[in-house]
Amino acid sequence: MKIYDLIGIGFGPSNIALAIALEEQKQTGHHAESFFIEKQPSFAWHANMMLDNAHMQVSFLKDLVTMRNPASHFTFINYLHQKNRLQDFINLKTFFPSRREFNDYLAWAAAHFDHCCAYGEEVIEVLPEKKGDEVSLLRVRSRDNAQTVHERLTRSLVISIGGHPRIPDCFSSLKGDARVFHSNNYLKEIAQHTHAQKIAVVGAGQSASEIFMDLHHRFDTTQIDLIMRARSIKPSDDSPFVNEIFNTDFTDYVFNSPEQERSKILNEFWHTNYAAPDLVLIEQIFNVFYQQKVAGAERHRFLRRHVVKKALAQPKGIQFILQDLNTNKERIVTYDAVVLATGYHRDHYKSLLNPLMPYFNDLKVDRQYRVCSTLHFKPAIFLQGACEASHGLSDTLLSVTAVRTSEISQAVINLFSQSKSLQAKRTMSSALV
Ligand code: NAP
């Protein structure tokens, strides 16, 4: 069986950026044979959150490559040039393209790697391939849509699988009920609820806010309840000094800080990224509620300081027991549909690595994002987007993607040149004997 130097799980922005970095390293004589496996049937970036008017929250200059190599073919600017839209884009006078356009940019970049990416295959497990006591390779098993299992061998693995929907405990028993869905599936699912009269949106982040505005425009009379534990929706702080936490050298600072200090930094800046919609969007939502007051007709409700204590599936809808945290009073409300804009967790990679757990020290990663392993475990495993605790808040964002992939690809190249020179030494000494 062919042995790859590197297999990437997932082909979203992080692994596309890695594919580009590896491709550009070929030009300097460093060749690593890579292959990527993506479970979606074709490239799509948060397809179910591609809402009208949604735009990027990160500057287009933090694209797949610019921070690493502004002269690359794969810059957003070159994409615009290739699509004959550069001048028009300049006239937009924005750093924040629409998400639709950025998705098109990513798809354009991804298409350059169709020859080394299998779409429509879900990786089901990663197994150790042993030589005596030593794990020398990894066997990556994936299943395609026709249920055929594929196996590939690799010397290194890069896991970039993004976030998995965070479902609050009180909704876990409603799994499979089509009336309750995560923001991750919003566009696909909301299309099934064209006659809904009452919809709940749970959350206070960018997703909840974008979805609230989308529902407001999508329906004429439907009531939307925006339900959050917070006292208010707070905007993301993207002022320049605060934004420095997303600079690439801040990664070194966070990584080199003692563990306690790291979590202090994460807590201090948590709201730059989480539960933090754009100010403009918050103003739009405020205006919707203000216009209701002017009209003297309450259509939507802003239920701040409210928690869902229980959610029950009833024939007439999803029944909430809602507690007002200010008064501790509970009330019962029934919804035709519930959107959980409750964010993501990023530890799904752990289940993929389960068979390899005996070789790791509680899944710590080094500065180059490589999972620390025991001496007898030779393959290198890197994580992209799952190292927030050690590398800082920028880890899940595009901000450091270009530079991170350069660090990972360099680590991969170093690894192979070390093992090649070791092999050469071994061959020479056995020839001398
Ligand atoms: P998020 O920022 O993590 O917000 C999740 C929200 O869900 C928070 O308000 C949180 O409230 C609430 N929540 C979590 N668990 C809950 C529970 N058990 N009960 C009630 N509420 C709960 O998630 P997001 O809005 O999906 O954003 C995720 C990331 O994607 C962010 O980086 C965001 O910037 C990005 N994003 C970008 C765009 C764009 O570029 N246009 C669009 C959407 C998302 P608490 O604060 O009370 O925990």
Side-chain angles (χ1 to χ4, degrees):
M1 194 187 286
K2 176 174 185 162
I3 300 172
Y4 290 96
D5 291 323
L6 183 154
I7 284 185
I9 307 182
F11 206 51
S14 296
N15 269 348
I16 300 172
L18 179 64
I20 297 170
L22 291 166
E23 187 61 31
E24 291 182 357
Q25 264 171 346
K26 280 185 196 161
Q27 289 152 20
T28 56
H30 297 293
H31 183 93
E33 185 150 14
S34 55
F35 193 80
F36 297 86
I37 304 171
E38 166 58 53
K39 78 173 173 186
Q40 298 192 90
S42 58
F43 178 80
W45 184 57
H46 299 295
N48 287 306
M49 278 297 287
M50 245 353 118
L51 308 184
D52 290 341
N53 302 323
H55 58 81
M56 296 298 291
Q57 293 186 287
V58 176
S59 163
F60 72 81
L61 290 171
K62 292 183 172 179
D63 60 16
L64 298 169
V65 288
T66 299
M67 303 288 288
R68 172 179 63 79
N69 175 17
S72 168
H73 167 79
F74 291 94
T75 62
F76 184 74
I77 290 178
N78 187 42
Y79 152 80
L80 290 173
H81 175 66
Q82 303 273 325
K83 298 279 174 173
N84 220 2
R85 285 204 305 273
L86 184 52
Q87 294 185 80
D88 294 333
F89 184 83
I90 291 168
N91 287 336
L92 281 180
K93 296 185 183 164
T94 184
F95 277 106
F96 306 103
S98 71
R99 276 172 72 90
R100 241 182 226 129
E101 184 168 35
F102 207 75
N103 175 63
D104 192 58
Y105 157 65
L106 296 173
W108 166 80
H112 289 70
F113 300 95
D114 281 350
H115 60 285
C116 60
C117 180
Y119 286 98
E121 276 184 38
E122 180 168 14
V123 173
I124 45 179
E125 59 184 351
V126 180
L127 301 172
E129 196 70 10
K130 284 180 141 186
K131 213 186 222 177
D133 280 349
E134 206 174 90
V135 177
S136 52
L137 297 169
L138 295 171
R139 181 177 291 267
V140 179
R141 301 184 77 235
S142 55
R143 192 184 291 125
D144 66 21
N145 292 335
Q147 301 303 312
T148 307
V149 171
H150 302 260
E151 297 199 342
R152 296 178 181 92
L153 291 175
T154 183
R155 297 185 176 89
S156 69
L157 188 72
V158 182
I159 305 180
S160 315
I161 52 177
H164 264 61
R166 188 195 294 126
I167 306 295
D169 289 345
C170 62
F171 292 99
S172 51
S173 64
L174 298 178
K175 196 174 174 197
D177 191 316
R179 295 169 295 181
V180 181
F181 49 92
H182 189 266
S183 54
N184 191 38
N185 283 325
Y186 173 68
L187 282 177
K188 188 173 121 223
E189 297 298 333
I190 200 62
Q192 315 302 319
H193 295 278
T194 45
H195 300 299
Q197 288 304 305
K198 223 170 176 178
I199 299 178
V201 179
V202 182
Q206 180 73 13
S207 299
S209 304
E210 285 184 7
I211 286 171
F212 175 84
M213 286 308 295
D214 184 82
L215 289 169
H216 172 68
H217 292 301
R218 181 178 291 266
F219 295 102
D220 289 332
T221 55
T222 304
Q223 176 187 324
I224 320 296
D225 281 359
L226 184 55
I227 303 171
M228 65 192 64
R229 307 187 279 207
R231 287 181 199 282
S232 126
I233 316 185
K234 289 186 196 154
S236 68
D237 182 346
D238 61 351
S239 57
F241 289 113
V242 168
N243 235 23
E244 285 180 345
I245 67 157
F246 300 114
N247 286 359
T248 50
D249 55 0
F250 202 77
T251 308
D252 286 318
Y253 174 68
V254 175
F255 188 83
N256 294 324
S257 297
E259 211 157 306
Q260 260 193 337
E261 189 61 26
R262 275 185 202 161
S263 54
K264 269 195 204 161
I265 301 169
L266 285 181
N267 283 340
E268 186 178 340
F269 291 104
W270 191 253
H271 268 297
T272 53
N273 185 33
Y274 296 108
D278 286 345
L279 180 58
V280 175
L281 193 52
I282 295 176
E283 287 167 347
Q284 287 169 7
I285 295 172
F286 188 85
N287 191 38
V288 167
F289 285 104
Y290 182 76
Q291 295 308 330
Q292 283 192 175
K293 285 183 181 166
V294 173
E298 185 186 70
R299 178 180 154 197
H300 310 311
R301 290 187 299 183
F302 184 57
L303 300 178
R304 63 179 104 192
R305 293 282 287 157
H306 276 69
V307 281
V308 185
K309 299 285 283 185
K310 269 192 190 147
L312 303 164
Q314 303 287 12
K316 284 198 166 165
I318 303 294
Q319 189 184 74
F320 277 13
I321 298 181
L322 266 179
Q323 186 186 20
D324 182 332
L325 292 173
N326 286 339
T327 61
N328 277 332
K329 281 194 183 141
E330 291 186 352
R331 62 171 133 168
I332 293 174
V333 193
T334 303
Y335 295 100
D336 300 315
V338 175
V339 188
L340 301 174
T342 43
Y344 297 84
H345 61 83
R346 295 188 172 263
D347 53 3
H348 187 64
Y349 71 93
K350 288 182 186 167
S351 57
L352 279 180
L353 295 183
N354 215 17
L356 305 174
M357 282 305 175
Y359 305 101
F360 303 138
N361 313 317
D362 60 19
L363 284 170
K364 280 209 161 103
V365 282
D366 70 11
R367 174 62 186 82
Q368 275 70 42
Y369 308 89
R370 182 178 173 179
V371 178
C372 303
S373 55
T374 57
L375 272 179
H376 295 301
F377 187 87
K378 299 299 171 196
I381 299 181
F382 300 88
L383 304 178
Q384 295 209 73
C387 304
E388 190 177 72
S390 51
H391 289 66
L393 278 163
S394 52
D395 191 67
T396 64
L397 304 175
L398 277 166
S399 311
V400 291
T401 303
V403 171
R404 178 176 61 210
T405 49
S406 138
E407 290 165 351
I408 293 177
S409 56
Q410 196 52 56
V412 170
I413 300 289
N414 290 347
L415 217 69
F416 297 143
S417 44
Q418 272 166 22
S419 73
K420 269 178 201 154
S421 67
L422 202 72
Q423 244 173 4
K425 268 187 200 157
R426 276 189 195 143
T427 323
M428 249 170 57
S429 53
S430 60
L432 288 173
V433 172

